[in-house]
Amino acid sequence: MTVDISIRICGQAGQGIQSISAAMGKVFIRHGYYVFINNDVESRIRGGHNFDQVRVGHEPVNAVNDKVDLLIALDAETRDADLPYLKDDGVMIYDDEKPATDSKNPHHIPIPLEKLASKAGGSKIMANTVATGAAFALLKFELQPLQDHLKEVFGDKGKAVIHQNQTCAEAGYRFVQQHFKGNFPYPLDTGKFQRNKMLLNGSQAMALGAICSGLKFYSGYPMSPSTGIMEFIAALGKEHHIIMEPAEDEISAVNMVIGASFAGARAMTATSGGGFCLMVEALGLAGMTETPVVVINAQRPGPSTGLPTRTEQSDLKFTIHAGHGEFPRAVFAPGNAELAFFAVSKAFNLADRYQTPVIILTDQHLNDSFSTVDGFDLDQITIDRGNILNDKDFSSASDYKRYALDKSGVSPRIIPGRTEAVLYADSDEHTEAGHITESAAVRNRMHKKRMAKLKGLRKEMNAPEIYPSRKGDIILLGWGSTCGALKEAVDQMNSQDMSTRLIHFSEIYPFPECDFSEIISDHTKIISVENNYSGQFADIFSHETGLAISHKILKFDGRPFTAHEIISVVKERL
Amino acid sequence: MVSLEDFYSDDPIAWCPGCGNFSILKSLKQAFVDLGKKPHEIVIVSGIGQAPKTPHYLRCNAFNGLHGRTLPVATGVKLANHELTVLAQGGDGDGYGEGGNHFIHAMRRNVDITYLVHNNQVYGLTKGQTSPTSGEGFVTRTTPQGSVNRPINPLLLAIASDCSFVARGFAGEIDHLSELIRKGITHKGFALIDILQSCVSFNRVNTFKWYKDRVYRIDEDPEYDPKNRLMAFEKAAEWGEKIPIGIIYSTDRPALNSQIPAIKDEPLVKQRVDPSDFVDIFEMFR
Ligand SMILES: Cc1ncc(C[n+]2csc(CCOP(=O)(O)OP(=O)(O)O)c2C)c(N)n1
Ligand SMILES: [Mg+2]
């Protein structure tokens, strides 16, 4: 039987939920499983109701499940809130000091988590490690891989800390072996140790994509859910010769990035909606001065501060249009961590080749969720810096004109200091030489030149993914991080004889050239699925393709879609 | 080797006749010549206003960006290629108003750039509104009853921020200003040069004569020690009958760009990257 189980670990912020999910994730991928972990946290440092949900399977898992098979409750209040999400045959473990209402249920297992932690580890803070051990015992997974993991994680904290944690894990493991007489329905076979899979979140994937593509300069200002990117780059900066300069605000961050890029370094910044708002004037500056920049906008629910730690896809129209005046740009919205890795790489190449901003639009669900990737093929990454001139390329340095007119819209750049030539870059409308102008004729020529880049950019955009290849009377339409849930929904609908297909866009603007005549007929029902209130992508899709949307499934509560949820709405509406 | 002609630009100048900016431009070119800097080794990042048009009027690399955002762009340029001579340049509105936050943080970072603020105590390009350095009682279209706000004293702000080089120049003293610019460029760290500049069109109070009658050089005072921060505070606070010009404060502290391990061996822009260098980077995720 193929395994596909979900485990929810709930508790207060500060109780170590993420150490449990990280331990499970790491150990399971190292024994051949696919893992997907999403986190659902409140915007606070201590307390509150938070959970991580670990989904583990033999087959790739890329979305959240509605119901869980195992609930690990570190705290009584969150336990009671999350109990409704436990399947009927599911099992719960919780601290016995805080009795559950339904304490007769043999599947509700009280464990003295804090007491065991104090006894075995010397501090009740290690209750999370006891719980991890207990969960491993329930899953009938061997203890040793967990112990090895703890040794690795606490390696730099010294032998004593490793020992305390291992003793705690063992205490939880033994407790369950001795006291749990029931049967957990979905045991996980330990299998063989292997290291051919990776577990990483979208922020890490994008930071890696940037580093492997030659990122040299990053500046940013912390804002969830983008902060992980800057922290990761900062951590690796010394080893890989990258500058990560913490900015005083997002305006500074993006302007520093523009400066570094003007000087010739590959440069990037990332933020979320509020910070992106502050960057908008400078996006136009990059467009006008024709400076390549890559900006990641990791969305969260707005407006204003919104729900800081949750997910939404409501900046789409804003991102496509952000800025006063008109200038060319490209906007990507990768569907998962793997696509996000390569999206960054492509973004850098397009930014350099078209000398204009490229924006990657993600969201909290993509940035923070961990998924399993077999690996990234570095052969697929090329670094193309675009048209850059050196001294040998011109006869006289004084003739160089930064904004020389060209049909493609792209004029050759120089890197300041590398040649005898100099360049003038200007945010005012300017002549070919880069000097300020008021001429109507020059304005027309220059504006057309810049906007001509959109034509080239459009050809670069990948068409949407169509999944699966066979026909479908129902089309689910989506973009960005909903990809995993949508594919799962399509699979399930097809297995229930609802012939369905997915059209999923990871590259959005300029809208890719695509032809749907083969797959869409008059009978096809197109249902758009988006994490926003108004169906922003549905509008764009209809506008670009002339195709009508039959239904919109919209969600803006800050939580990611599940396949089950999508299917039930489809059934209700059709 | 380098001469004034090397810095010639054929871009027609859009300043008012008699504007203090002409003298500042002259001082700037002279400083480059005296330092033997070649045009392509220099980047001037400017903002928006009358003053920030300056880089168009000489030959060098120029990035004429947004109003108020010169310092972040200049910081990015310097960190990407610290072998370039990087200057930032703009007006009082640009630097102390719109860009005020960046100003404080650039001083904190102490990145090795030279910042010229053409301080005419008014918004010139937008045709005469009150600026952060306008005097109390200054009547403009936006302060018809006269400004009631206390003006920013950029020098005091800079010394309080431990800016590593703080100077004031006067557009009417070209050679002295040129020397200050030269010293600012040579200084390893962030150098602020606030330049008193008359605006012939919109500031009828702080005219050329008004400045001329008041300024005096502190470098002529053998007792004055710009390394003494307390003395510097006192000097910087002087404004009214007499206005000091010269290096008000300077201190040695390492520039940001000298402290970053990533550029210890060579500037970012000279580093070559090959994706295949990174095969091992993924191990931590396995
Ligand atoms: C974001 C933004 N706000 C306002 C302006 C309009 N603006 C252009 S220059 C300027 C003030 C100019 O004063 P200052 O910086 O002192 O330079 P000066 O012209 O006096 O040399 C203003 C308000 C702008 N270009 N951008
Ligand atoms: Mg001014």
Side-chain angles (χ1 to χ4, degrees), chain A residues 26 30 195 199 216 245-246 248-249 423-427 435, chain B residues 40 56 58 61-62 64-65 101-102 109 271 283-286:
Chain A
K26 196 68 151 192
R30 283 182 176 180
R195 278 191 78 169
L199 182 70
K216 284 282 134 198
E245 180 60 25
E248 58 273 27
D249 56 35
L423 80 156
Y424 296 89
D426 207 291
S427 81
H435 292 305
Chain B
H40 73 276
H56 289 285
L58 72 159
N61 292 296
N64 186 181
N101 196 23
H102 309 312
R109 282 191 187 97
Q271 300 175 12
E283 280 313 297
M284 68 178 109
F285 298 102
R286 291 189 198 277

PDB file of all heavy atoms in Angstrom, chain A residues 26 30 195 199 216 245-246 248-249 423-427 435, chain B residues 40 56 58 61-62 64-65 101-102 109 271 283-286:
ATOM      1  N   LYS A  26      13.560  15.644   7.779  1.00  0.00           N
ATOM      2  CA  LYS A  26      14.916  15.217   7.429  1.00  0.00           C
ATOM      3  C   LYS A  26      15.033  13.688   7.456  1.00  0.00           C
ATOM      4  O   LYS A  26      15.556  13.074   6.519  1.00  0.00           O
ATOM      5  CB  LYS A  26      15.887  15.836   8.440  1.00  0.00           C
ATOM      6  CG  LYS A  26      17.325  15.806   8.023  1.00  0.00           C
ATOM      7  CD  LYS A  26      17.548  16.727   6.833  1.00  0.00           C
ATOM      8  CE  LYS A  26      18.946  17.294   6.787  1.00  0.00           C
ATOM      9  NZ  LYS A  26      19.056  18.371   5.820  1.00  0.00           N
ATOM     10  N   ARG A  30      15.409  11.044   4.152  1.00  0.00           N
ATOM     11  CA  ARG A  30      16.629  10.224   4.124  1.00  0.00           C
ATOM     12  C   ARG A  30      16.312   8.724   4.131  1.00  0.00           C
ATOM     13  O   ARG A  30      17.209   7.897   4.123  1.00  0.00           O
ATOM     14  CB  ARG A  30      17.509  10.555   5.327  1.00  0.00           C
ATOM     15  CG  ARG A  30      18.260  11.846   5.132  1.00  0.00           C
ATOM     16  CD  ARG A  30      19.156  12.128   6.293  1.00  0.00           C
ATOM     17  NE  ARG A  30      19.952  13.323   6.074  1.00  0.00           N
ATOM     18  CZ  ARG A  30      20.816  13.787   6.955  1.00  0.00           C
ATOM     19  NH1 ARG A  30      21.003  13.164   8.099  1.00  0.00           N
ATOM     20  NH2 ARG A  30      21.503  14.874   6.697  1.00  0.00           N
ATOM     21  N   ARG A 195      20.732   9.515   0.599  1.00  0.00           N
ATOM     22  CA  ARG A 195      20.804  10.991   0.641  1.00  0.00           C
ATOM     23  C   ARG A 195      20.637  11.550  -0.762  1.00  0.00           C
ATOM     24  O   ARG A 195      21.401  12.393  -1.202  1.00  0.00           O
ATOM     25  CB  ARG A 195      22.137  11.444   1.238  1.00  0.00           C
ATOM     26  CG  ARG A 195      22.106  11.412   2.751  1.00  0.00           C
ATOM     27  CD  ARG A 195      23.292  12.100   3.351  1.00  0.00           C
ATOM     28  NE  ARG A 195      23.158  13.554   3.318  1.00  0.00           N
ATOM     29  CZ  ARG A 195      23.962  14.370   3.976  1.00  0.00           C
ATOM     30  NH1 ARG A 195      24.929  13.889   4.707  1.00  0.00           N
ATOM     31  NH2 ARG A 195      23.800  15.670   3.899  1.00  0.00           N
ATOM     32  N   LEU A 199      15.162  18.473   1.035  1.00  0.00           N
ATOM     33  CA  LEU A 199      13.963  19.084   1.604  1.00  0.00           C
ATOM     34  C   LEU A 199      14.269  20.556   1.810  1.00  0.00           C
ATOM     35  O   LEU A 199      15.195  20.894   2.554  1.00  0.00           O
ATOM     36  CB  LEU A 199      13.613  18.413   2.938  1.00  0.00           C
ATOM     37  CG  LEU A 199      12.341  18.921   3.620  1.00  0.00           C
ATOM     38  CD1 LEU A 199      11.107  18.499   2.834  1.00  0.00           C
ATOM     39  CD2 LEU A 199      12.237  18.392   5.048  1.00  0.00           C
ATOM     40  N   LYS A 216      25.616  38.535  -6.640  1.00  0.00           N
ATOM     41  CA  LYS A 216      26.762  39.119  -5.949  1.00  0.00           C
ATOM     42  C   LYS A 216      26.350  40.122  -4.897  1.00  0.00           C
ATOM     43  O   LYS A 216      27.084  40.390  -3.951  1.00  0.00           O
ATOM     44  CB  LYS A 216      27.683  39.811  -6.975  1.00  0.00           C
ATOM     45  CG  LYS A 216      28.515  38.846  -7.782  1.00  0.00           C
ATOM     46  CD  LYS A 216      29.699  38.349  -6.978  1.00  0.00           C
ATOM     47  CE  LYS A 216      29.889  36.876  -7.062  1.00  0.00           C
ATOM     48  NZ  LYS A 216      30.722  36.359  -5.992  1.00  0.00           N
ATOM     49  N   GLU A 245      23.638  43.465   2.306  1.00  0.00           N
ATOM     50  CA  GLU A 245      23.647  44.690   3.108  1.00  0.00           C
ATOM     51  C   GLU A 245      22.246  44.950   3.659  1.00  0.00           C
ATOM     52  O   GLU A 245      21.303  45.180   2.902  1.00  0.00           O
ATOM     53  CB  GLU A 245      24.114  45.872   2.242  1.00  0.00           C
ATOM     54  CG  GLU A 245      24.173  47.208   2.958  1.00  0.00           C
ATOM     55  CD  GLU A 245      25.120  47.227   4.163  1.00  0.00           C
ATOM     56  OE1 GLU A 245      26.062  46.427   4.217  1.00  0.00           O
ATOM     57  OE2 GLU A 245      24.885  48.054   5.066  1.00  0.00           O
ATOM     58  N   PRO A 246      22.083  44.907   4.989  1.00  0.00           N
ATOM     59  CA  PRO A 246      20.768  45.202   5.567  1.00  0.00           C
ATOM     60  C   PRO A 246      20.429  46.679   5.344  1.00  0.00           C
ATOM     61  O   PRO A 246      21.216  47.542   5.700  1.00  0.00           O
ATOM     62  CB  PRO A 246      20.951  44.909   7.059  1.00  0.00           C
ATOM     63  CG  PRO A 246      22.302  44.294   7.214  1.00  0.00           C
ATOM     64  CD  PRO A 246      23.107  44.655   6.012  1.00  0.00           C
ATOM     65  N   GLU A 248      18.083  50.309   5.475  1.00  0.00           N
ATOM     66  CA  GLU A 248      17.275  51.044   6.452  1.00  0.00           C
ATOM     67  C   GLU A 248      15.789  50.992   6.091  1.00  0.00           C
ATOM     68  O   GLU A 248      14.938  51.219   6.938  1.00  0.00           O
ATOM     69  CB  GLU A 248      17.746  52.499   6.581  1.00  0.00           C
ATOM     70  CG  GLU A 248      17.729  53.334   5.297  1.00  0.00           C
ATOM     71  CD  GLU A 248      19.026  53.192   4.506  1.00  0.00           C
ATOM     72  OE1 GLU A 248      19.689  52.156   4.624  1.00  0.00           O
ATOM     73  OE2 GLU A 248      19.362  54.136   3.759  1.00  0.00           O
ATOM     74  N   ASP A 249      15.470  50.720   4.866  1.00  0.00           N
ATOM     75  CA  ASP A 249      14.080  50.553   4.437  1.00  0.00           C
ATOM     76  C   ASP A 249      14.092  49.946   3.031  1.00  0.00           C
ATOM     77  O   ASP A 249      15.152  49.815   2.421  1.00  0.00           O
ATOM     78  CB  ASP A 249      13.291  51.881   4.480  1.00  0.00           C
ATOM     79  CG  ASP A 249      13.930  52.985   3.651  1.00  0.00           C
ATOM     80  OD1 ASP A 249      14.506  52.694   2.588  1.00  0.00           O
ATOM     81  OD2 ASP A 249      13.844  54.161   4.056  1.00  0.00           O
ATOM     82  N   LEU A 423      29.335  56.441 -19.178  1.00  0.00           N
ATOM     83  CA  LEU A 423      27.918  56.409 -19.509  1.00  0.00           C
ATOM     84  C   LEU A 423      27.138  57.344 -18.605  1.00  0.00           C
ATOM     85  O   LEU A 423      27.524  57.577 -17.460  1.00  0.00           O
ATOM     86  CB  LEU A 423      27.352  54.988 -19.395  1.00  0.00           C
ATOM     87  CG  LEU A 423      26.989  54.466 -18.011  1.00  0.00           C
ATOM     88  CD1 LEU A 423      25.957  53.376 -18.097  1.00  0.00           C
ATOM     89  CD2 LEU A 423      28.219  53.940 -17.342  1.00  0.00           C
ATOM     90  N   TYR A 424      26.067  57.865 -19.162  1.00  0.00           N
ATOM     91  CA  TYR A 424      25.120  58.664 -18.389  1.00  0.00           C
ATOM     92  C   TYR A 424      23.820  57.874 -18.320  1.00  0.00           C
ATOM     93  O   TYR A 424      23.238  57.555 -19.354  1.00  0.00           O
ATOM     94  CB  TYR A 424      24.853  60.002 -19.074  1.00  0.00           C
ATOM     95  CG  TYR A 424      26.075  60.894 -19.177  1.00  0.00           C
ATOM     96  CD1 TYR A 424      26.928  60.813 -20.267  1.00  0.00           C
ATOM     97  CD2 TYR A 424      26.366  61.807 -18.167  1.00  0.00           C
ATOM     98  CE1 TYR A 424      28.055  61.620 -20.362  1.00  0.00           C
ATOM     99  CE2 TYR A 424      27.493  62.620 -18.251  1.00  0.00           C
ATOM    100  CZ  TYR A 424      28.328  62.520 -19.345  1.00  0.00           C
ATOM    101  OH  TYR A 424      29.438  63.328 -19.431  1.00  0.00           O
ATOM    102  N   ALA A 425      23.405  57.537 -17.124  1.00  0.00           N
ATOM    103  CA  ALA A 425      22.115  56.877 -16.952  1.00  0.00           C
ATOM    104  C   ALA A 425      21.179  57.908 -16.347  1.00  0.00           C
ATOM    105  O   ALA A 425      21.565  58.621 -15.423  1.00  0.00           O
ATOM    106  CB  ALA A 425      22.261  55.683 -16.026  1.00  0.00           C
ATOM    107  N   ASP A 426      19.977  58.006 -16.862  1.00  0.00           N
ATOM    108  CA  ASP A 426      19.115  59.070 -16.352  1.00  0.00           C
ATOM    109  C   ASP A 426      17.676  58.662 -16.127  1.00  0.00           C
ATOM    110  O   ASP A 426      17.093  57.965 -16.944  1.00  0.00           O
ATOM    111  CB  ASP A 426      19.158  60.279 -17.287  1.00  0.00           C
ATOM    112  CG  ASP A 426      18.868  61.537 -16.502  1.00  0.00           C
ATOM    113  OD1 ASP A 426      17.718  61.700 -16.059  1.00  0.00           O
ATOM    114  OD2 ASP A 426      19.792  62.327 -16.283  1.00  0.00           O
ATOM    115  N   SER A 427      17.129  59.134 -14.996  1.00  0.00           N
ATOM    116  CA  SER A 427      15.727  58.861 -14.694  1.00  0.00           C
ATOM    117  C   SER A 427      14.797  59.867 -15.362  1.00  0.00           C
ATOM    118  O   SER A 427      13.592  59.649 -15.468  1.00  0.00           O
ATOM    119  CB  SER A 427      15.491  58.835 -13.186  1.00  0.00           C
ATOM    120  OG  SER A 427      15.365  60.136 -12.673  1.00  0.00           O
ATOM    121  N   HIS A 435      21.598  62.191 -21.811  1.00  0.00           N
ATOM    122  CA  HIS A 435      21.390  63.508 -21.224  1.00  0.00           C
ATOM    123  C   HIS A 435      19.902  63.867 -21.216  1.00  0.00           C
ATOM    124  O   HIS A 435      19.144  63.438 -22.084  1.00  0.00           O
ATOM    125  CB  HIS A 435      22.181  64.569 -21.982  1.00  0.00           C
ATOM    126  CG  HIS A 435      23.667  64.424 -21.807  1.00  0.00           C
ATOM    127  ND1 HIS A 435      24.258  64.398 -20.563  1.00  0.00           N
ATOM    128  CD2 HIS A 435      24.670  64.286 -22.714  1.00  0.00           C
ATOM    129  CE1 HIS A 435      25.567  64.256 -20.704  1.00  0.00           C
ATOM    130  NE2 HIS A 435      25.840  64.174 -22.005  1.00  0.00           N
TER     131      HIS A 435
ATOM    132  N   HIS B  40      36.556  57.950 -16.575  1.00  0.00           N
ATOM    133  CA  HIS B  40      35.905  56.632 -16.482  1.00  0.00           C
ATOM    134  C   HIS B  40      36.127  55.947 -15.137  1.00  0.00           C
ATOM    135  O   HIS B  40      35.503  54.933 -14.856  1.00  0.00           O
ATOM    136  CB  HIS B  40      36.359  55.732 -17.640  1.00  0.00           C
ATOM    137  CG  HIS B  40      37.755  55.222 -17.507  1.00  0.00           C
ATOM    138  ND1 HIS B  40      38.854  55.946 -17.893  1.00  0.00           N
ATOM    139  CD2 HIS B  40      38.227  54.060 -17.012  1.00  0.00           C
ATOM    140  CE1 HIS B  40      39.953  55.241 -17.650  1.00  0.00           C
ATOM    141  NE2 HIS B  40      39.596  54.088 -17.106  1.00  0.00           N
ATOM    142  N   HIS B  56      25.776  65.830 -15.571  1.00  0.00           N
ATOM    143  CA  HIS B  56      25.636  65.937 -17.024  1.00  0.00           C
ATOM    144  C   HIS B  56      26.616  66.956 -17.598  1.00  0.00           C
ATOM    145  O   HIS B  56      26.905  66.933 -18.780  1.00  0.00           O
ATOM    146  CB  HIS B  56      24.215  66.378 -17.401  1.00  0.00           C
ATOM    147  CG  HIS B  56      23.194  65.315 -17.176  1.00  0.00           C
ATOM    148  ND1 HIS B  56      23.043  64.232 -17.999  1.00  0.00           N
ATOM    149  CD2 HIS B  56      22.284  65.159 -16.180  1.00  0.00           C
ATOM    150  CE1 HIS B  56      22.072  63.449 -17.544  1.00  0.00           C
ATOM    151  NE2 HIS B  56      21.601  63.997 -16.443  1.00  0.00           N
ATOM    152  N   LEU B  58      29.729  67.502 -16.816  1.00  0.00           N
ATOM    153  CA  LEU B  58      31.142  67.140 -16.921  1.00  0.00           C
ATOM    154  C   LEU B  58      31.202  65.720 -17.474  1.00  0.00           C
ATOM    155  O   LEU B  58      30.180  65.040 -17.564  1.00  0.00           O
ATOM    156  CB  LEU B  58      31.873  67.278 -15.586  1.00  0.00           C
ATOM    157  CG  LEU B  58      31.607  66.286 -14.469  1.00  0.00           C
ATOM    158  CD1 LEU B  58      32.744  66.294 -13.484  1.00  0.00           C
ATOM    159  CD2 LEU B  58      30.320  66.624 -13.751  1.00  0.00           C
ATOM    160  N   ASN B  61      31.241  58.878 -15.434  1.00  0.00           N
ATOM    161  CA  ASN B  61      30.062  58.018 -15.366  1.00  0.00           C
ATOM    162  C   ASN B  61      29.042  58.662 -14.440  1.00  0.00           C
ATOM    163  O   ASN B  61      29.404  59.166 -13.371  1.00  0.00           O
ATOM    164  CB  ASN B  61      30.430  56.640 -14.815  1.00  0.00           C
ATOM    165  CG  ASN B  61      31.310  55.872 -15.772  1.00  0.00           C
ATOM    166  OD1 ASN B  61      30.886  55.537 -16.884  1.00  0.00           O
ATOM    167  ND2 ASN B  61      32.548  55.609 -15.364  1.00  0.00           N
ATOM    168  N   ALA B  62      27.782  58.635 -14.852  1.00  0.00           N
ATOM    169  CA  ALA B  62      26.783  59.308 -14.037  1.00  0.00           C
ATOM    170  C   ALA B  62      25.526  58.459 -13.921  1.00  0.00           C
ATOM    171  O   ALA B  62      25.124  57.789 -14.878  1.00  0.00           O
ATOM    172  CB  ALA B  62      26.429  60.655 -14.651  1.00  0.00           C
ATOM    173  N   ASN B  64      21.897  59.491 -12.738  1.00  0.00           N
ATOM    174  CA  ASN B  64      21.013  60.554 -12.277  1.00  0.00           C
ATOM    175  C   ASN B  64      19.675  59.892 -11.934  1.00  0.00           C
ATOM    176  O   ASN B  64      18.850  59.648 -12.793  1.00  0.00           O
ATOM    177  CB  ASN B  64      20.882  61.577 -13.417  1.00  0.00           C
ATOM    178  CG  ASN B  64      20.111  62.832 -13.051  1.00  0.00           C
ATOM    179  OD1 ASN B  64      19.924  63.701 -13.876  1.00  0.00           O
ATOM    180  ND2 ASN B  64      19.649  62.937 -11.811  1.00  0.00           N
ATOM    181  N   GLY B  65      19.518  59.544 -10.650  1.00  0.00           N
ATOM    182  CA  GLY B  65      18.393  58.697 -10.231  1.00  0.00           C
ATOM    183  C   GLY B  65      17.181  59.459  -9.747  1.00  0.00           C
ATOM    184  O   GLY B  65      16.799  60.478 -10.324  1.00  0.00           O
ATOM    185  N   ASN B 101      16.385  59.778   5.749  1.00  0.00           N
ATOM    186  CA  ASN B 101      16.668  58.489   6.381  1.00  0.00           C
ATOM    187  C   ASN B 101      17.950  57.886   5.814  1.00  0.00           C
ATOM    188  O   ASN B 101      18.793  57.371   6.555  1.00  0.00           O
ATOM    189  CB  ASN B 101      15.482  57.546   6.147  1.00  0.00           C
ATOM    190  CG  ASN B 101      15.510  56.341   7.074  1.00  0.00           C
ATOM    191  OD1 ASN B 101      16.119  56.378   8.139  1.00  0.00           O
ATOM    192  ND2 ASN B 101      14.850  55.277   6.670  1.00  0.00           N
ATOM    193  N   HIS B 102      18.106  57.984   4.499  1.00  0.00           N
ATOM    194  CA  HIS B 102      19.305  57.404   3.884  1.00  0.00           C
ATOM    195  C   HIS B 102      20.570  58.137   4.351  1.00  0.00           C
ATOM    196  O   HIS B 102      21.625  57.538   4.488  1.00  0.00           O
ATOM    197  CB  HIS B 102      19.229  57.469   2.356  1.00  0.00           C
ATOM    198  CG  HIS B 102      17.952  56.909   1.805  1.00  0.00           C
ATOM    199  ND1 HIS B 102      17.441  55.694   2.206  1.00  0.00           N
ATOM    200  CD2 HIS B 102      17.073  57.406   0.893  1.00  0.00           C
ATOM    201  CE1 HIS B 102      16.319  55.470   1.555  1.00  0.00           C
ATOM    202  NE2 HIS B 102      16.061  56.490   0.763  1.00  0.00           N
ATOM    203  N   ARG B 109      26.848  53.689   8.086  1.00  0.00           N
ATOM    204  CA  ARG B 109      27.584  52.658   7.331  1.00  0.00           C
ATOM    205  C   ARG B 109      29.031  53.055   7.069  1.00  0.00           C
ATOM    206  O   ARG B 109      29.897  52.225   6.936  1.00  0.00           O
ATOM    207  CB  ARG B 109      26.925  52.445   5.956  1.00  0.00           C
ATOM    208  CG  ARG B 109      25.702  51.621   6.010  1.00  0.00           C
ATOM    209  CD  ARG B 109      25.240  51.200   4.616  1.00  0.00           C
ATOM    210  NE  ARG B 109      23.969  50.546   4.773  1.00  0.00           N
ATOM    211  CZ  ARG B 109      22.786  51.119   4.604  1.00  0.00           C
ATOM    212  NH1 ARG B 109      22.713  52.370   4.193  1.00  0.00           N
ATOM    213  NH2 ARG B 109      21.685  50.447   4.822  1.00  0.00           N
ATOM    214  N   GLN B 271      34.520  39.370  -9.963  1.00  0.00           N
ATOM    215  CA  GLN B 271      34.443  37.958  -9.601  1.00  0.00           C
ATOM    216  C   GLN B 271      33.627  37.190 -10.630  1.00  0.00           C
ATOM    217  O   GLN B 271      32.512  37.572 -10.958  1.00  0.00           O
ATOM    218  CB  GLN B 271      33.814  37.820  -8.203  1.00  0.00           C
ATOM    219  CG  GLN B 271      34.605  38.534  -7.128  1.00  0.00           C
ATOM    220  CD  GLN B 271      33.922  38.491  -5.774  1.00  0.00           C
ATOM    221  OE1 GLN B 271      32.976  37.746  -5.568  1.00  0.00           O
ATOM    222  NE2 GLN B 271      34.400  39.302  -4.844  1.00  0.00           N
ATOM    223  N   GLU B 283      24.176  20.091  -0.234  1.00  0.00           N
ATOM    224  CA  GLU B 283      24.339  18.989   0.737  1.00  0.00           C
ATOM    225  C   GLU B 283      23.566  19.221   2.025  1.00  0.00           C
ATOM    226  O   GLU B 283      23.003  18.306   2.607  1.00  0.00           O
ATOM    227  CB  GLU B 283      25.825  18.775   1.051  1.00  0.00           C
ATOM    228  CG  GLU B 283      26.555  17.972  -0.006  1.00  0.00           C
ATOM    229  CD  GLU B 283      25.793  16.708  -0.432  1.00  0.00           C
ATOM    230  OE1 GLU B 283      25.597  15.834   0.430  1.00  0.00           O
ATOM    231  OE2 GLU B 283      25.380  16.623  -1.609  1.00  0.00           O
ATOM    232  N   MET B 284      23.523  20.467   2.477  1.00  0.00           N
ATOM    233  CA  MET B 284      22.861  20.741   3.757  1.00  0.00           C
ATOM    234  C   MET B 284      21.363  20.439   3.729  1.00  0.00           C
ATOM    235  O   MET B 284      20.730  20.350   4.772  1.00  0.00           O
ATOM    236  CB  MET B 284      23.108  22.188   4.172  1.00  0.00           C
ATOM    237  CG  MET B 284      22.445  23.217   3.299  1.00  0.00           C
ATOM    238  SD  MET B 284      22.744  24.911   3.898  1.00  0.00           S
ATOM    239  CE  MET B 284      23.841  25.519   2.644  1.00  0.00           C
ATOM    240  N   PHE B 285      20.820  20.288   2.534  1.00  0.00           N
ATOM    241  CA  PHE B 285      19.373  20.013   2.445  1.00  0.00           C
ATOM    242  C   PHE B 285      19.065  18.541   2.267  1.00  0.00           C
ATOM    243  O   PHE B 285      17.910  18.152   2.198  1.00  0.00           O
ATOM    244  CB  PHE B 285      18.765  20.797   1.282  1.00  0.00           C
ATOM    245  CG  PHE B 285      18.890  22.276   1.458  1.00  0.00           C
ATOM    246  CD1 PHE B 285      19.864  22.998   0.775  1.00  0.00           C
ATOM    247  CD2 PHE B 285      18.060  22.946   2.343  1.00  0.00           C
ATOM    248  CE1 PHE B 285      20.000  24.350   0.965  1.00  0.00           C
ATOM    249  CE2 PHE B 285      18.186  24.306   2.539  1.00  0.00           C
ATOM    250  CZ  PHE B 285      19.164  25.011   1.846  1.00  0.00           C
ATOM    251  N   ARG B 286      20.106  17.730   2.145  1.00  0.00           N
ATOM    252  CA  ARG B 286      19.870  16.304   1.867  1.00  0.00           C
ATOM    253  C   ARG B 286      19.762  15.486   3.130  1.00  0.00           C
ATOM    254  O   ARG B 286      20.347  15.802   4.121  1.00  0.00           O
ATOM    255  CB  ARG B 286      21.000  15.746   0.996  1.00  0.00           C
ATOM    256  CG  ARG B 286      20.972  16.307  -0.401  1.00  0.00           C
ATOM    257  CD  ARG B 286      21.941  15.579  -1.300  1.00  0.00           C
ATOM    258  NE  ARG B 286      22.234  16.334  -2.495  1.00  0.00           N
ATOM    259  CZ  ARG B 286      21.460  16.335  -3.578  1.00  0.00           C
ATOM    260  NH1 ARG B 286      20.367  15.611  -3.608  1.00  0.00           N
ATOM    261  NH2 ARG B 286      21.785  17.077  -4.625  1.00  0.00           N
TER     262      ARG B 286
END
